[in-house]
Amino acid sequence: MSSYPKRAAVLASAAALAGSAVLLAAPAAHATVVNVNYQCKTPIGDKSAVSPIDIKGVRSGSGYKITMSWQKGVSSSPVELGKGAMNPSATIRLGGADSGTLNVTGAANQAAIPANTPIKINDLSGTYTPEKSGKVTFTAGTLTIKALGTTTTCNPTNNPGPSLTLDVTAAGGGSSSSGGSGSSSSGSTGTGSGGTLPKTGPEDSFVALGTLGGTVLLAGAAGTLWLTRRNQTARR
């Protein structure tokens, strides 16, 4: 039995395994639902509420669309809030390779909110554009609710951990080894050292790298097989 098919199969398997190893090494976005204990300053006094917060990040052009979701309602109103009467916004604290805050906004309430009922916040979103590459964390910050001419401010009091960690890629390919402003987007501010969340740019890069690695190894396998056959033919 000829050993050439076996040799080609072994080399092809090695190429596939090498490509898989590169893919497995690709860092993915890490998201965790975090319970946030909000202390709210309302027009009728202080209120508190705990809501699980989910933050997701998806690559969008040269930046990332960040979406913040509340799984439970926070605060309440002593009177009914009609459709469109409540406008929420929030900040997300940046950490890791970046610092500062990202502002996220959303639509007003699409249905009336009964009196003395926990207010469910619609999803809020904003665009984060990193100036440097690296791991960036996203943590729930201040929630602001404007309704009927009043403003309610809710701040986390339990020092919540990050809801999202993204391995971001800056448009210019900058590194996070030196200082500078790391966040720039519509509604985001960033100051401090460090540079700059699946579905995200880094995964795409690693997929491309894994594909390239497999292609190179497969090309090497084909070259080895061709040379072996050529030498065998010459000996005949």
Side-chain angles (χ1 to χ4, degrees), residues 118-198:
I119 297 174
K120 176 67 169 65
I121 307 299
N122 293 328
D123 289 355
L124 305 181
S125 62
T127 300
Y128 171 69
T129 305
E131 295 181 355
K132 294 184 179 180
S133 303
K135 288 182 183 291
V136 177
T137 60
F138 297 78
T139 304
T142 301
L143 167 66
T144 301
I145 301 172
K146 294 185 177 182
L148 304 179
T150 66
T151 300
T152 294
T153 303
C154 302
N155 289 298
T157 59
N158 60 331
N159 192 28
S163 295
L164 176 67
T165 300
L166 283 177
D167 214 335
V168 303
T169 301
S175 66
S176 59
S177 58
S178 59
S181 175
S183 63
S184 60
S185 67
S186 58
S188 83
T189 59
T191 57
S193 62
T196 49
L197 216 253

Side-chain angles (χ1 to χ4, degrees), residues 3-205:
S3 63
Y4 299 135
K6 290 183 178 180
R7 186 175 302 169
V10 169
L11 290 172
S13 298
L17 288 173
S20 299
V22 174
L23 291 177
L24 289 174
H30 176 71
T32 303
V33 177
V34 176
N35 288 326
V36 178
N37 189 348
Y38 283 103
Q39 186 69 30
C40 301
K41 299 288 185 181
T42 81
I44 58 172
D46 293 350
K47 293 181 177 293
S48 62
V50 177
S51 176
I53 300 297
D54 182 24
I55 300 177
K56 290 184 172 62
V58 178
R59 187 76 192 228
S60 177
S62 61
Y64 299 81
K65 181 181 179 181
I66 305 299
T67 301
M68 186 177 189
S69 303
W70 279 258
Q71 297 188 5
K72 290 184 179 180
V74 297
S75 190
S76 62
S77 171
V79 297
E80 179 180 285
L81 298 177
K83 178 181 178 180
M86 187 270 291
N87 291 279
S89 62
T91 61
I92 296 176
R93 294 188 287 111
L94 306 177
D98 201 357
S99 61
T101 58
L102 170 70
N103 295 331
V104 289
T105 59
N109 58 306
Q110 299 174 346
I113 302 173
N116 302 312
T117 300
I119 297 174
K120 176 67 169 65
I121 307 299
N122 293 328
D123 289 355
L124 305 181
S125 62
T127 300
Y128 171 69
T129 305
E131 295 181 355
K132 294 184 179 180
S133 303
K135 288 182 183 291
V136 177
T137 60
F138 297 78
T139 304
T142 301
L143 167 66
T144 301
I145 301 172
K146 294 185 177 182
L148 304 179
T150 66
T151 300
T152 294
T153 303
C154 302
N155 289 298
T157 59
N158 60 331
N159 192 28
S163 295
L164 176 67
T165 300
L166 283 177
D167 214 335
V168 303
T169 301
S175 66
S176 59
S177 58
S178 59
S181 175
S183 63
S184 60
S185 67
S186 58
S188 83
T189 59
T191 57
S193 62
T196 49
L197 216 253
K199 305 177 184 178
T200 58
E203 290 184 18
D204 297 338
S205 299

